[in-house]
Amino acid sequence: MIGLGRGAIYAASDASAIIPHTRRVVYLDDGEMAVFDASKCDIVSMQAMSAVDKQVEEIEWDLEEAERGGYEHYMLKEIFEQPETIASTLRGRIVGGEDAVRLGGLHDVAESLGRARRVIFTACGTSWHAGQIGAYLLEELARIPASVEYASEWRYRDPVLEPDTVVVGISQSGETADTLAAIELAKQRGSTTLGIINTVGSSIARLSDAGVYLHAGPEIGVASTKAFTSQVVALTLFSLWMGRKRGLDPARIQEYLEALVALPGQVQAILDRADEIRALASRLADHDNFLYLGRGYSYPVALEGALKLKEISYVHAEGFSAAEMKHGPIALIEQDTPVLVVAPRDASYPKVLSNMQEVKARGGHLITISSEPNGLAELSDELFTVPQTLDSLLPVLTSVPLQLLAYHIGVMRGCDVDKPRNLAKSVTVE
């Protein structure tokens, strides 16, 4: 995008870089280039080599949202913003009654979504983990076959796209190059395309047929935190919206709506105990290898928790399905190996309990994230509990202590948690 300031012109790939200087921007489309100096900017079509008349738009985020606000790091600020950002993602979308959920961004494609026979989520990194939760949700609530694909792999695989397949791209920035290319491929094959993104006016927002904005505000820290939980909330709303069209029991919809409304307060209750996670981090910061385990809806949370630790602290961490532990990863467990298990009281709990006992039998240092009540105090070496909610919404709660754990371990190891080495906030190249 091109930012139009007073006596200055700016070019950037993410809105957060421009906000401190100007909120007036022009978005470049494919095949366009900007030619500018400090006083003027011309947008030129590279094919016709002629000027293009572009609309000047205004970034809605405030400068205050893009500043640290007294926090030591942007990442910590964004973790603590999650009660507000989750509420913002929900705002105006829970209407109750016959409609239950209103997603205005889907209005133009409502008919094609009603015919959908398959949904493919495509994303990269943290957004892929949210997409995995979204696939579980959609199959459970709308009974539509759903899958999640790494955009970087899927776009080169000559994928099969049957009639009435919907392709959903998930990206915080809306500029992720592989996800953008995947959406372009789906459009070429005739699929309905949606974007679940945070940045208004971004490339994916302009390319896709319709979509849902997160309204989570600018995320400056390279490691995604508040965008992830807002993505899960947005995907829950989308799944409920699709489920209502397919006869989902109104009583079940109401149960979900009440649970969604309670989420911001439950996240705040976890953040009020952040000192407990800091103390836990101090006991674990010297370890160089971690395993993260989870099953069902907690499996993507285990993947996300391991990714956060790798990104922020440069510690080797691997996430696995707890069910797959005995098929190889269990060989990595030796005396005092930190094994973090996401084990809320959900449908998978009895099976995960067995996996935890296997970890303890091999001398692993067992760190458990669970919901109350759990009865795991004697089995676990370390235990942190979160409030209880519906199984499919537990990832919103269980991911928060994992974000804090990665943050504090990173700080304790002297890492630049806002700008980890070798990483970029918006991956705009392959």
Side-chain angles (χ1 to χ4, degrees):
M1 66 187 70
I2 304 299
L4 306 177
R6 293 184 177 180
I9 308 292
Y10 306 90
S13 59
D14 195 284
S16 60
I18 284 182
I19 294 172
H21 310 289
T22 180
R23 291 199 288 173
R24 298 177 66 244
V25 297
V26 171
Y27 295 100
L28 295 181
D29 291 312
D30 288 345
E32 294 177 350
M33 64 178 175
V35 182
F36 60 88
D37 57 25
S39 61
K40 66 172 184 173
C41 176
D42 296 318
I43 310 298
V44 178
S45 166
M46 296 171 66
Q47 182 175 4
M49 291 309 294
S50 59
V52 179
D53 187 24
K54 302 288 288 188
Q55 181 180 352
V56 177
E57 301 186 37
E58 186 139 333
I59 299 173
E60 295 180 357
W61 296 338
D62 292 326
L63 178 59
E64 183 179 347
E65 290 183 282
E67 294 179 336
R68 288 211 303 263
Y71 287 89
E72 187 176 356
H73 298 95
Y74 283 112
M75 183 180 177
L76 187 62
K77 172 180 179 279
E78 288 155 7
I79 291 172
F80 273 82
E81 284 177 340
Q82 287 175 111
E84 301 164 23
T85 55
I86 291 169
S88 184
T89 301
L90 292 171
R91 190 168 295 118
R93 290 168 165 169
I94 294 179
V95 295
E98 184 178 343
D99 288 338
V101 172
R102 179 184 296 134
L103 296 174
L106 303 184
H107 181 268
D108 292 343
V109 295
E111 186 176 339
S112 61
L113 291 178
R115 297 193 306 267
R117 299 171 61 186
R118 180 186 177 206
V119 175
I120 299 172
F121 296 100
T122 184
C124 303
T126 287
S127 295
W128 188 93
H129 299 151
Q132 181 69 273
I133 296 169
Y136 293 167
L137 275 162
L138 196 64
E139 289 195 336
E140 179 181 337
L141 298 178
R143 308 308 299 160
I144 301 174
S147 60
V148 60
E149 299 278 358
Y150 284 112
S152 54
E153 295 289 332
W154 187 76
R155 61 178 287 204
Y156 289 113
R157 231 181 45 220
D158 192 19
V160 177
L161 291 172
E162 307 98 331
D164 297 325
T165 296
V166 175
V167 177
V168 183
I170 309 173
S171 168
Q172 187 283 137
S173 67
E175 302 292 345
T176 309
D178 286 315
T179 307
L180 187 60
I183 292 290
E184 180 66 46
L185 172 64
K187 285 181 72 73
Q188 291 171 359
R189 301 283 182 90
S191 293
T192 298
T193 58
L194 305 180
I196 294 181
I197 53 181
N198 193 36
T199 308
V200 176
S202 59
S203 296
I204 292 176
R206 302 197 307 278
L207 178 63
S208 53
D209 297 315
V212 179
Y213 283 120
L214 303 182
H215 301 303
E219 188 175 67
I220 311 298
V222 167
S224 183
T225 52
K226 66 179 183 177
F228 172 75
T229 50
S230 283
Q231 285 169 345
V232 174
V233 169
L235 287 162
T236 305
L237 291 172
F238 173 63
S239 299
L240 289 169
W241 189 90
M242 294 286 280
R244 187 186 66 81
K245 286 183 169 296
R246 285 163 172 74
L248 181 62
D249 184 357
R252 195 166 182 209
I253 293 175
Q254 185 59 36
E255 182 184 24
Y256 265 87
L257 298 184
E258 291 173 2
L260 283 167
V261 169
L263 279 179
Q266 292 177 317
V267 171
Q268 186 60 58
I270 295 169
L271 294 171
D272 289 343
R273 298 164 52 214
D275 286 347
E276 295 177 36
I277 297 296
R278 189 180 187 283
L280 173 60
S282 69
R283 298 191 289 272
L284 299 174
D286 292 336
H287 289 274
D288 293 322
N289 294 284
F290 284 71
L291 293 181
Y292 284 66
L293 304 176
R295 292 185 77 158
Y297 282 102
S298 295
Y299 169 44
V301 177
L303 296 177
E304 173 63 9
L307 176 62
K308 281 292 155 285
L309 194 63
K310 282 183 278 197
E311 287 179 308
I312 298 307
S313 65
Y314 318 144
V315 168
H316 175 249
E318 295 296 333
F320 297 99
S321 164
E324 289 298 300
M325 184 181 68
K326 61 179 71 69
H327 296 284
I330 198 169
L332 296 171
I333 299 174
E334 55 187 11
Q335 192 66 35
D336 294 328
T337 299
V339 181
L340 198 149
V341 183
V342 186
R345 291 298 293 259
D346 59 8
S348 300
Y349 178 79
K351 297 296 184 182
V352 177
L353 184 60
S354 173
N355 297 137
M356 293 167 65
Q357 290 166 339
E358 291 174 328
V359 169
K360 286 298 293 180
R362 287 154 180 81
H365 186 79
L366 187 62
I367 305 111
T368 308
I369 306 295
S370 188
S371 54
E372 298 176 324
N374 54 77
L376 296 174
E378 291 186 8
L379 180 62
S380 305
D381 296 294
E382 314 276 0
L383 175 65
F384 186 88
T385 57
V386 303
Q388 186 60 268
T389 186
L390 299 177
D391 288 6
S392 53
L393 295 182
L394 280 163
V396 176
L397 304 182
T398 53
S399 63
V400 175
L402 302 188
Q403 294 168 356
L404 286 167
L405 183 66
Y407 168 79
H408 286 300
I409 290 178
V411 170
M412 290 171 187
R413 293 173 72 100
C415 303
D416 186 345
V417 296
D418 281 338
K419 293 180 286 186
R421 68 189 181 201
N422 307 329
L423 298 177
K425 182 60 180 172
S426 300
V427 183
T428 58
V429 295
E430 292 189 45

